């Protein structure tokens, strides 16, 4: 049985970061992140273009938490929690397999600083110890070298390639899956 009750919201802390709930007051930064072409290149979701789009993203993240279907954290500066660098979380849970899919993104201004390995450690610990996951999976576009590098560096192993898994904006997309089992 997975523990998918996220109330109160589980904030996580690392040396440099606070991971907290994404709130409607973050709308400008969510628009900046989810509207950034470079950051969205390999994410098969509509890019946010307006404040309404960004509020829609926040509403989706909020209902995922309430319904126990997903949980995402705003990756923030620990000393200035209104400064959001990116978003990370479990975008899908598969309770029958005690598995979740992890996802992450940073605004390009914050790439190359090692924020993902710092945040992912706490998010994995939460997943294995609190949610009681047995495995964490990540799905990437095979062209997404930056994301593959993160997964391999953080000890995820290649699991499978699914060709033409989906169509997005009239393009057939392959997916590579990586997996990490509970230690
Ligand atoms: C994927 C993504 C999050 C990677 O960001 P990133 O900043 O390259 O990744 P990390 O946070 O792991 O940082 C690692 C880099 O920081 C450097 N670094 C600097 N300080 C560091 C520190 N204290 N600790 C660790 N690494 C540090 C590392 O050397 C490494 O640089 P390198 O790759 O040039 O060797 C980013 O490219 C992104 O947001 N992409 C768009 C969204 C996306 O595609 N998400 C994945 C969907 S599956």
């Amino acid at each position: 049985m997975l523990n998918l009750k996220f109330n109160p919201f589980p904030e996580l802390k690392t040396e440099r970061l606070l991971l907290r709930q994404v709130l409607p007051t973050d709308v400008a930064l969510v628009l900046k992140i989810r509207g950034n072409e470079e950051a969205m290149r390999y994410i098969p979701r509509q890019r946010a273009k307006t404040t309404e789009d960004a509020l829609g993203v926040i509403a989706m993240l909020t209902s995922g938490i309430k319904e126990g279907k997903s949980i995402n954290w705003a990756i923030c500066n620990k000393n200035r929690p209104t400064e959001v660098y990116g978003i990370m979380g479990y975008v899908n849970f598969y309770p029958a397999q005690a598995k979740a899919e992890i996802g992450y993104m940073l605004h390009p201004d914050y790439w190359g600083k090692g924020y993902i390995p710092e945040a992912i450690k706490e998010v994995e610990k939460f997943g294995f110890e609190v949610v009681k996951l047995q495995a964490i999976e990540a799905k990437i576009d095979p062209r997404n070298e930056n994301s593959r590098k993160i997964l391999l560096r953080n000890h995820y192993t290649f699991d499978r390639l699914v060709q033409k898994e989906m169509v997005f904006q009239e393009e057939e997309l392959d997916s590579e899956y990586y997996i990490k089992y509970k230690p």
Side-chain angles (χ1 to χ4, degrees):
M1 264 292 264
L2 295 184
N3 173 19
L4 300 173
K5 289 202 177 69
F6 306 125
N7 186 16
F9 186 84
E11 291 196 344
L12 306 173
K13 279 193 182 137
T14 72
E15 198 184 324
R16 294 177 291 174
L17 306 170
L18 169 69
L19 305 188
R20 62 160 174 82
Q21 187 164 2
V22 181
L23 300 169
T25 45
D26 298 317
V27 65
L29 289 169
V30 170
L31 179 57
K32 193 174 154 195
I33 296 164
R34 291 284 298 233
N36 185 277
E37 202 168 342
E38 209 183 351
M40 291 297 287
R41 182 165 300 147
Y42 299 120
I43 297 183
R45 293 273 172 91
Q46 288 297 340
R47 199 150 55 83
K49 295 194 180 76
T50 63
T51 298
E52 285 65 38
D53 292 346
L55 284 171
V57 171
I58 297 169
M60 184 191 71
L61 300 180
T62 308
S63 67
I65 292 164
K66 273 198 196 130
E67 292 165 18
K69 293 202 167 135
S70 60
I71 179 168
N72 281 274
W73 288 266
I75 304 173
C76 304
N77 180 316
K78 192 177 183 178
N79 300 316
R80 290 186 298 279
T82 53
E83 211 172 284
V84 183
Y85 300 149
I87 299 170
M88 172 182 286
Y90 295 112
V91 298
N92 278 308
F93 289 108
Y94 305 97
Q97 300 158 72
K99 188 170 84 175
E101 180 189 347
I102 199 166
Y104 41 77
M105 67 185 304
L106 294 172
H107 187 276
D109 287 355
Y110 306 107
W111 292 4
K113 296 179 191 301
Y115 288 144
I116 295 296
E118 198 170 312
I120 209 169
K121 249 185 240 146
E122 288 307 314
V123 169
E124 287 172 356
K125 191 163 172 236
F126 178 83
F128 289 132
E129 292 180 8
V130 180
V131 182
K132 308 286 184 205
L133 297 172
Q134 291 298 322
I136 300 172
E137 184 169 78
K139 167 177 156 176
I140 67 165
D141 183 310
R143 296 167 296 181
N144 195 345
E145 305 278 356
N146 288 339
S147 191
R148 184 185 296 105
K149 200 155 74 175
I150 285 184
L151 294 169
L152 295 176
R153 273 192 193 157
N154 289 282
H155 313 292
Y156 285 72
T157 54
F158 175 77
D159 190 53
R160 64 195 188 278
L161 169 70
V162 181
Q163 285 177 315
K164 299 182 181 175
E165 188 176 41
M166 63 180 297
V167 176
F168 181 68
Q169 292 173 339
E170 294 173 28
E171 196 183 3
E172 288 180 322
L173 298 177
D174 298 346
S175 301
E176 269 180 26
Y177 286 83
Y178 288 79
I179 196 148
K180 184 185 238 183
Y181 291 98
K182 185 176 179 162

